[in-house]
Structure formats: C-alpha cells, structure tokens
Amino acid sequence: MKNFQYFRPSSPEAAVALLDKTWGTAELLGGGTDLLDLQKEYVAQPSKVISVAAIKGFDGISVLEKEPPVVVIGAGTKIATVASDSGIKEHFPALASAAGGLGTPQIRNMATLGGNLCQRNRCWYFRDEHVRCLLKGGDKCYALDGENRYHAIFTKEHTCVIVSPSTIAPALIAYGASAEVLGPKGKRTVKLAEFYRAPRKEGEREHVLEANELVLSVSIPAEKGLRSANYEVAQKRSYDWPMAQAVVAFHLDGKKAKEVRIILGHVAPTPLIADAAMKEVEGKEITEETAAKAGEAATEGAKPLKQNEYKLRLLAVAVKRALLTAAGAKKYWVT
Ligand SMILES: Cc1cc2nc3c(=O)[nH]c(=O)nc-3n(C[C@H](O)[C@H](O)[C@H](O)COP(=O)(O)OP(=O)(O)OC[C@H]3O[C@@H](n4cnc5c(N)ncnc54)[C@H](O)[C@@H]3O)c2cc1C
Ligand code: SF4
C-alpha cells in the first residue's frame, strides 16, 4: 500500500476542503471495505485519506414531517443499521432486503450508505493491479473478449462493460430517492435515478459526483400504500454480489398495478430502469402470466457477452418473482 496522510475532519465542509479537484489523489473513507482493498492492490493510490467517521450528524435515520413524509438517512449510517431499522423494514422492504442481504454481518457493520453508493466496480481486470484497461488509462477493455460471465448484458454503446455494484441503489431509485451532495460551492440534490453513469476512461467514476464532492445523506419519500420488493439471484446467500437483481414498486388501484417502477441491478454499467417491463404491467393485475411477460420484456435490448447469456433468464425470473412478491401473491425472498 502506498503511504498516505490520514485526516479525520469533524464537519462535512472541512472534509470537502481536503478533497482535490481531480480523482485519484484524495479519497473519502467510509467503512473502508472497498477503499482499503483497492489501496492494498495499488488500484487506488491516494496521498490523502479523509475519514468521515468523526463528522457530527453524519449518521442516523430521521423523518421529516412532510406530505408524504421523507425519511433521511445520513451517508455515514452503517448498512446494518439501515437493514434493521423498523421504519425502513415497514415502509421500504426492498431497501431493507437489499441492505440485509449484502455481503456479510461484518461488512454490513462496517460499510456506510455513502460508501456503498460510491463503491468502485468489481471487474476483476480493473481490480488487478497489473492490468491497464480503459478505466486505468489503457486502450482496451479486457472483459470484452475475456472472462466476462459476471459482466453486463446490456452492453450496447458501452466500451466498459462493468455492472453497477450497489444492490442498495436500485432500491433507492425505485423509491424515488435523492442524494444531498456537498461540494466547494455548496449543496445540491441529485436524484438517485440520475446519480450513476457508465464510465469510459480513467478519471471517470461510476457516478456523477465531482472529485471534491461528498454525499451527505439520502432522502426517500414515504409514499402511502406503495408496495415493493427486491429479488436477487445469487450463487450463495452470503459473501457475494448477485448476478441479477430486480426491485419493483407500485401502487394498487383495486387489483391493478399503477405507477409501476422496475429497476434492474447487476446487468448493466448503471442501475437500469426497465421501461418495457413497466409498460407490460402498468394498469394490469399482477398474475403469474403478467409478471412473466414483464420479466421477458425486461430483457429487451440486452446484448450479452460470450459467457453471460445465462443472465437473461435470471433477470426475467428476478423481475417476475419481485412483482409477485410485492403483489402479495407469493413470497420468494425473506431476509
Ligand atoms: C464479499 C463482499 C460481498 C459484497 N456484497 C455486496 C452486495 O451484495 N451488494 C453491495 O451493494 N455491496 C456489496 N459489497 C460491497 C460493500 O457493500 C461495499 O464495500 C461497501 O458498501 C462500501 O462501503 P464503505 O463505507 O466501506 O466504503 P469505503 O470503502 O469507505 O468507500 C468506498 C468508496 O466510496 C467513497 N465514499 C465513501 N463515503 C463517501 C461519501 N459520503 N460521499 C462520497 N464518496 C464516499 C470512497 O472514497 C470510496 O471511493 C460486498 C463486499 C464484499 C467484500
Ligand atoms: S469492463 Fe471496464 S473495468 Fe473491466 S476491463 Fe473492461 S474497461 Fe476495464
């Protein structure tokens, strides 16, 4: 690991003042479950590491009395706290499921919400210190013709075929959440649906933050009567990322679903809003048949790589099962 200076500011403004204008030289440290790995592999080589642990009021969950009420989760809040909060479990079951199923108890007790949303991708070429791919200043994506079974299946127009690694992000997008961000010019609000972008070259991250900005908190409107569910297809129930994920949310008008949102995770460089799948069930009763059709529609536009066509089926099943779970027809995923 390259030597670095360690800072522990007590305010978000002081943390921002320590950040640099370009990526690479200074890094925020949440729980360190991602950053320290990258430093040990020489993939991240910051000369300044700025811990958020001593920032006052940076963690915790509160409710703003608005219409609808808004739940605010500090960026320093541990994933384990998000997963076990009774209000989150009741109003945002898909978020509680994504947080509760993430990694291991040790990781959930260290990892923060801000760090989860800003974690780097898991492409094994990217994380190998000896490989210089597009995101590390090289001129080639090694995954395109290489080992790509866990990479994106929505690859059109992407030169880098990572999958977005956060399982929390698709849930937050489905709930219409926003991130409050602080930079040198003050605060701004970014909808989670617009928080991610596909990186193409060195100096670009998987999100739209500037190098000298930090996430302060995430706000989620608590829509009355919203039904939701998260379904992840993974090789094992712990210590791994899913291969495909679907988060759904909708209201029921009688038996018909309305304002349907279906967000796909781990199949594209960003979380994906599945428009065709949403249209398939909007205004319809969620049944085995309509949920299955939505699952098939969710794969529209996919262009899998040589080793990951299998993900098409996993994704269709994830969407179907998330819809049936949220509708109360079947319960597939219990944390
Ligand atoms: C075995 C294993 C399984 C895992 N499975 C999953 C999974 O299923 N789903 C999933 O989502 N994740 C999974 N993870 C990843 C884990 O969730 C992340 O490592 C963790 O959430 C990162 O949080 P952290 O606080 O430790 O971040 P850190 O490692 O401290 O930081 C990560 C990045 O975020 C930046 N950062 C930190 N805080 C902020 C902030 N407030 N504002 C802006 N930038 C910030 C840092 O500078 C750094 O670049 C897994 C990890 C492991 C090791
Ligand atoms: S998918 Fe992206 S991170 Fe992985 S080798 Fe290709 S360019 Fe690099």
Side-chain angles (χ1 to χ4, degrees):
M1 185 187 277
K2 190 185 125 182
N3 283 347
F4 57 86
Q5 276 186 293
Y6 177 70
F7 296 89
R8 209 175 148 86
S10 57
S11 72
E13 290 77 14
V16 165
L18 286 161
L19 290 168
D20 294 331
K21 281 188 187 152
T22 49
W23 290 109
T25 49
E27 291 282 351
L28 290 164
L29 176 72
T33 60
D34 184 31
L35 180 64
L36 294 184
D37 279 2
L38 291 169
Q39 284 184 270
K40 284 188 237 170
E41 298 292 338
Y42 290 91
V43 176
Q45 298 191 33
S47 41
K48 288 188 274 182
V49 171
I50 303 144
S51 168
V52 298
I55 298 181
K56 289 179 193 74
F58 207 58
D59 63 345
I61 302 173
S62 54
V63 180
L64 300 180
E65 296 302 335
K66 292 186 174 181
E67 196 40 55
V70 173
V71 174
V72 182
I73 311 177
T77 309
K78 300 290 183 187
I79 299 300
T81 307
V82 176
S84 62
D85 183 87
S86 56
I88 301 277
K89 279 186 181 168
E90 185 184 341
H91 298 289
F92 310 113
L95 174 58
S97 155
L102 179 159
T104 62
Q106 292 87 339
I107 292 166
R108 296 195 288 275
N109 278 295
M110 283 303 292
T112 61
L113 179 61
N116 182 276
L117 298 179
C118 299
Q119 63 179 293
R120 302 302 317 264
N121 74 80
R122 304 300 303 189
C123 172
W124 35 39
Y125 296 106
F126 175 75
R127 297 183 89 96
D128 181 334
E129 67 172 290
H130 304 293
V131 177
R132 244 180 111 235
C133 70
L134 292 179
L135 295 199
K136 293 197 287 186
D139 57 6
K140 181 176 172 181
C141 169
Y142 288 87
L144 272 183
D145 302 319
E147 292 294 331
N148 51 36
R149 57 190 171 279
Y150 300 130
H151 285 74
I153 51 172
F154 290 89
T155 55
K156 283 180 200 159
E157 296 159 18
H158 295 303
T159 47
C160 162
V161 290
I162 55 166
V163 294
S164 176
S166 170
T167 41
I168 304 267
L172 291 175
I173 293 170
Y175 291 126
S178 310
E180 191 166 25
V181 171
L182 181 72
K185 293 184 191 147
K187 288 182 189 170
R188 66 183 178 116
T189 302
V190 185
K191 285 186 184 157
L192 256 293
E194 292 159 13
F195 189 85
Y196 292 98
R197 65 150 181 209
R200 292 156 304 167
K201 57 179 194 274
E202 191 176 29
E204 290 186 352
R205 290 270 159 127
E206 293 82 351
H207 50 70
V208 298
L209 293 190
E210 299 292 336
N212 52 7
E213 289 185 312
L214 97 166
V215 178
L216 287 170
S217 61
V218 168
S219 298
I220 324 171
E223 293 172 54
K224 205 170 168 208
L226 188 69
R227 287 166 170 263
S228 57
N230 168 46
Y231 192 91
E232 297 171 24
V233 187
Q235 270 170 340
K236 44 194 196 290
R237 292 293 296 269
S238 169
Y239 208 72
D240 212 351
W241 283 259
M243 293 172 287
Q245 175 192 19
V247 178
V248 306
F250 54 83
H251 290 274
L252 277 184
D253 184 3
K255 285 189 170 177
K256 292 182 178 161
K258 59 173 194 178
E259 295 172 47
V260 181
R261 304 134 220 197
I262 301 178
I263 318 297
L264 314 178
H266 301 268
V267 287
T270 62
L272 222 54
I273 298 174
D275 290 317
M278 287 166 13
K279 277 194 198 123
E280 197 59 54
V281 279
E282 182 70 38
K284 293 185 189 155
E285 187 178 347
I286 306 285
T287 61
E288 288 271 346
E289 196 190 353
T290 56
K293 277 191 180 160
E296 293 306 322
T299 64
E300 270 177 30
K303 191 173 171 236
L305 302 168
K306 207 169 168 192
Q307 298 177 339
N308 68 9
E309 208 173 330
Y310 74 95
K311 278 197 179 192
L312 293 173
R313 182 89 195 108
L314 302 192
L315 184 63
V317 168
V319 168
K320 176 185 166 188
R321 293 186 175 185
L323 281 165
L324 289 170
T325 304
K330 279 189 178 175
K331 195 166 187 181
Y332 282 105
W333 189 258
V334 186
T335 52

